[in-house]
Amino acid sequence: MPSTALPSQSIGAPIPNNTAHAVSVTLPTWEATVGYEEGEPWVVNKMHSGYPRFFIHSDIQQLCKLIESSYARDNERCFIFPTYNIAKRCRAFIKEKAATMSPPLHPAVRILQLSTPAPANTQEESYKIEANIAIVFFPSNLFSLVKQYWQHTGEGISSRLGEYFLSEMKDKLAEEINNKGPSAKDSISSRSPRTSRSSRSSRSSVSVNNSNISNKQESATFIEERFGRNLDLRYAKEAKKILLSRLASEYDPSYVDASNTYLYPSGMSAIFNAHRAVLGCASAEDAQKLKSVCFGFPYVDTLNILRKWGAGVHFYGFGDDESLDDLEFRLESGEKILSLFCEFPSNPLLKTPDIIRIKYLSEKFGFYIVVDDTVANSSNVNIIPYCDIVVSSLTKIFSGDSNVMAGCLVLNKKSKFYSQLKKFMDEDYEDFFWDQDAIYLERNSRDFQGRSQIMNKNADEVLKLFQSSPLISHIYYPSVTSPESKKNYDAVKRENGGYGALISIVFKDQTDAVCFFNTIKLSKGPSLGTNFTLVCPYAILAHFKELDEVAKWGVDPNLVRLSIGMEKSSELIAALKEALDAAQEQHLV
């Protein structure tokens, strides 16, 4: 069960407290959230943590600086990826997008590969592994462009891989920086013959606090293995096998088994690679010409992926029956589409699409269906019979502890596209899910089903509280969003399933929303599916620069999203009621 300690209310503190690889970060007030989005120093300068695809972890930042000081040419920056193939994809993205700039740019982009030594003996196997990274060097003026690839695809290195690589190679890089250079026998190896080491002598030296890095890693390892029942690195492969079997067991075995279930380092990476799989299975002509459909208002980077890779996207932001009517008319009129991506239900509006009708249209008109079931999760709904690919963020409720990023992609064995998709995955899939992350995820997910049931029950109690509040104009939750949406959800809800942990509420007055959010004594920051309740002003946090645009799709600036956790129901209700009462009191003044 979650700790009873009060969550931090300090800007920039990790969520959970004192967690080196925390997934969320504290933004304790509405004003702090706005300040973060506007880049205000009083907020930004305190952000020592953040959601990993948006905020580059301090260990990764330090590793980048060391590598740049040792290997970069003048005016170059770098991003680090776990494999050479991913680095090549990033390089292709940079060149393609830079060529469309005004004026067009044709930057030099280089890739360097580095590796750490393999364990020298069986004793070292418990804490040491051969790790590989691929570094993309690019002109520094393109940093914001390259960060788009990092954010959208979720394919950057994990913070734990950054920490491990930093601890293993810090001495060697320090030698490089100080112009001592590694010898041919050094265990850190460069595997890129094209890499230049020019201008090293012109750069200032970078100091590395070796003892701090080692102490932090040893302390974290001791605590997690002593109290968290973690496996050690020798069992990373077994941990991944367990995870694949655990994930596959969530579905009917006639549709899914471990052989068609794939692990990724983030949910976004699973979505990106699902899109890559669809593009890879299509003919070259279709991949270049046919647009995909984004059905329903999605998490922001799903839409970014469909816009920036492939032929583009038709966006049906409402994701309702009328939208399906329009899509069907488009298809009946002769237009072809490549695929349809949707969330089940959507985040943050908790709208559930008519997946059975979508399946019917797919059979008739021959497009792929990719469903993200993160919000409902596989313990509550059985979505696999109605799509070709299921993707999910395991960072969320499957993990629950908010201390590891992960995702999965599952193929439907009964899909008409299964043979093509399976062939693509067999030839293309790389396991770049870092071993230490797999070990943490295996531990965290052991009680996934039980935690999901507790969250379902708590969410139902919270729903009743909000339904009685005169301050709230609308509640979004799969059972109450709309009769149409509830019918669509119930059509695939498991017999013992619930409606999930995510609730969005819209206040009639923004001053009430601000008072409620600022008063509530719960964790406040991005992410969802955590074992503890997590609250954020979603529209402000995710769409601050496009509030007018997202309002067209029903995402109100006064929307507050709550991911309900496992606290005692009475304590949770008391905390929420206290905040509602404070908002009610100031409303009457």
Side-chain angles (χ1 to χ4, degrees):
M1 294 293 287
S3 170
T4 57
L6 285 177
S8 173
Q9 298 299 305
S10 299
I11 295 171
I15 304 175
N17 294 336
N18 305 312
T19 301
H21 301 280
V23 167
S24 191
V25 61
T26 302
L27 289 167
T29 65
W30 198 283
E31 294 81 6
T33 307
V34 171
Y36 171 73
E37 294 297 331
E38 292 183 335
E40 293 286 345
W42 67 275
V43 179
V44 175
N45 292 346
K46 297 177 181 177
M47 299 295 289
H48 303 300
S49 182
Y51 195 77
R53 286 188 303 102
F54 294 86
F55 181 91
I56 301 174
H57 192 277
S58 58
D59 287 336
I60 299 175
Q61 290 185 47
Q62 188 175 5
L63 182 58
C64 283
K65 288 178 182 177
L66 284 167
I67 289 173
E68 286 167 359
S69 296
S70 182
Y71 295 107
R73 297 168 179 165
D74 289 336
N75 200 35
E76 278 188 333
R77 298 288 302 277
C78 77
F79 270 91
I80 308 173
F81 299 94
T83 76
Y84 182 61
N85 286 332
I86 295 172
K88 288 196 297 182
R89 290 201 285 271
C90 179
R91 179 174 62 189
F93 175 83
I94 297 168
K95 289 182 173 292
E96 177 189 345
K97 300 305 178 185
T100 65
M101 292 179 172
S102 182
L105 298 177
H106 303 284
V109 184
R110 305 181 298 117
I111 299 173
L112 168 72
Q113 296 183 84
L114 297 175
S115 61
T116 65
N121 51 54
T122 55
Q123 182 179 358
E124 285 191 352
E125 288 176 357
S126 65
Y127 61 90
K128 204 164 191 170
I129 190 172
E130 182 177 359
N132 303 290
I133 57 173
I135 305 108
V136 176
F137 292 96
F138 53 87
S140 59
N141 64 322
L142 296 180
F143 183 86
S144 61
L145 172 66
V146 187
K147 193 168 186 290
Q148 290 179 28
Y149 188 90
W150 176 281
Q151 175 187 321
H152 299 336
T153 68
E155 292 195 320
I157 63 167
S158 83
S159 57
R160 282 191 181 86
L161 175 52
E163 178 187 64
Y164 180 84
F165 218 95
L166 192 62
S167 69
E168 287 291 303
M169 73 183 298
K170 57 187 179 293
D171 292 332
K172 304 301 180 184
L173 282 178
E175 289 178 10
E176 282 282 286
I177 294 164
N178 293 315
N179 286 322
K180 296 177 181 178
S183 70
K185 294 182 180 180
D186 280 329
S187 57
I188 297 295
S189 62
S190 168
R191 300 184 300 178
S192 176
R194 294 174 294 175
T195 300
S196 168
R197 298 182 185 178
S198 63
S199 304
R200 281 206 305 264
S201 60
S202 66
R203 282 184 288 275
S204 60
S205 64
V206 176
S207 63
V208 183
N209 192 327
N210 296 349
S211 60
N212 282 355
I213 295 170
S214 299
N215 290 343
K216 181 177 73 172
Q217 192 171 35
E218 288 173 9
S219 174
T221 300
F222 172 79
I223 291 170
E224 288 295 338
E225 291 184 1
R226 172 65 179 83
F227 299 105
R229 307 180 313 284
N230 264 15
L231 301 171
D232 66 40
L233 274 174
R234 285 174 295 186
Y235 302 104
K237 290 182 180 179
E238 286 75 7
K240 290 182 180 182
K241 289 179 182 178
I242 291 168
L243 284 167
L244 291 172
S245 295
R246 188 173 293 160
L247 288 163
S249 69
E250 292 293 314
Y251 303 95
D252 184 329
S254 65
Y255 292 93
V256 177
D257 58 41
S259 70
N260 59 330
T261 304
Y262 304 88
L263 290 169
Y264 285 93
S266 68
M268 219 69 241
S269 177
I271 292 170
F272 178 65
N273 281 281
H275 187 46
R276 287 187 60 246
V278 169
L279 289 169
C281 291
S283 68
E285 182 180 4
D286 284 351
Q288 291 176 354
K289 292 184 177 181
L290 299 187
K291 292 185 176 182
S292 293
V293 165
C294 183
F295 195 78
F297 190 89
Y299 180 73
V300 58
D301 280 318
T302 299
L303 190 55
N304 282 326
I305 286 170
L306 298 178
R307 282 173 171 163
K308 296 182 180 182
W309 283 269
V313 61
H314 297 298
F315 180 37
Y316 286 90
F318 292 117
D320 53 13
D321 285 352
E322 188 175 340
S323 300
L324 265 184
D325 291 341
D326 186 84
L327 175 60
E328 184 169 14
F329 178 79
R330 186 191 292 268
L331 295 169
E332 291 283 7
S333 299
E335 182 171 350
K336 294 182 178 181
I337 63 171
L338 182 64
S339 63
L340 183 147
F341 281 66
C342 66
E343 297 174 349
F344 198 96
S346 65
N347 172 21
L349 297 180
L350 286 306
K351 290 184 177 180
T352 306
D354 187 346
I355 195 65
I356 296 175
R357 185 178 171 195
I358 291 172
K359 174 68 171 176
Y360 164 78
L361 293 178
S362 167
E363 295 288 347
K364 185 175 181 179
F365 296 104
F367 58 85
Y368 294 81
I369 302 173
V370 181
V371 176
D372 181 350
D373 73 347
T374 300
V375 172
N377 84 67
S378 56
S379 73
N380 289 320
V381 298
N382 181 26
I383 201 69
I384 192 71
Y386 305 100
C387 57
D388 305 295
I389 303 174
V390 171
V391 291
S392 192
S393 174
L394 307 180
T395 308
K396 310 305 192 296
I397 194 169
F398 188 77
S399 169
D401 277 348
S402 190
N403 64 358
V404 62
M405 295 281 285
C408 70
L409 183 158
V410 179
L411 301 180
N412 176 356
K413 289 194 291 187
K414 294 186 177 181
S415 161
K416 61 183 177 296
F417 298 118
Y418 178 70
S419 60
Q420 300 101 299
L421 289 167
K422 188 68 168 70
K423 182 175 185 294
F424 177 88
M425 296 300 291
D426 286 346
E427 295 173 354
D428 182 84
Y429 177 71
E430 293 183 288
D431 176 10
F432 54 97
F433 185 40
W434 176 234
D435 284 2
Q436 288 176 322
D437 290 324
I439 287 169
Y440 277 76
L441 184 64
E442 189 283 320
R443 184 206 70 186
N444 294 352
S445 62
R446 292 172 191 172
D447 58 351
F448 158 61
Q449 287 276 357
R451 288 185 289 106
S452 178
Q453 291 176 9
I454 293 171
M455 293 176 190
N456 288 341
K457 292 177 182 177
N458 276 352
D460 191 55
E461 293 300 312
V462 170
L463 174 65
K464 295 172 185 175
L465 173 68
F466 289 146
Q467 286 175 323
S468 65
S469 174
L471 304 180
I472 296 171
S473 64
H474 202 94
I475 300 171
Y476 294 103
Y477 189 63
S479 62
V480 300
T481 295
S482 71
E484 168 192 308
S485 179
K486 183 178 186 299
K487 174 178 67 69
N488 296 336
Y489 189 101
D490 287 345
V492 298
K493 186 167 79 72
R494 295 185 184 277
E495 183 177 353
N496 297 318
Y499 292 97
L502 203 64
I503 299 177
S504 293
I505 55 176
V506 178
F507 285 83
K508 297 174 184 177
D509 191 307
Q510 187 167 89
T511 57
D512 296 338
V514 172
C515 183
F516 171 82
F517 183 75
N518 289 356
T519 302
I520 198 166
K521 294 182 177 68
L522 296 168
S523 293
K524 294 181 246 187
S527 198
L528 58 93
T530 47
N531 293 337
F532 47 87
T533 298
L534 187 59
V535 191
C536 73
Y538 184 84
I540 302 298
L541 187 62
H543 299 285
F544 183 73
K545 295 179 180 179
E546 50 186 7
L547 289 174
D548 290 341
E549 176 62 27
V550 301
K552 297 175 184 177
W553 305 108
V555 182
D556 194 288
N558 299 336
L559 186 147
V560 175
R561 191 189 72 181
L562 301 96
S563 177
I564 305 303
M566 297 171 59
E567 297 91 347
K568 289 183 179 179
S569 179
S570 59
E571 295 177 1
L572 179 57
I573 295 299
L576 293 168
K577 188 175 184 305
E578 179 185 20
L580 280 173
D581 288 346
Q584 177 73 44
E585 184 176 341
Q586 69 86 35
H587 181 85
L588 296 174
V589 173

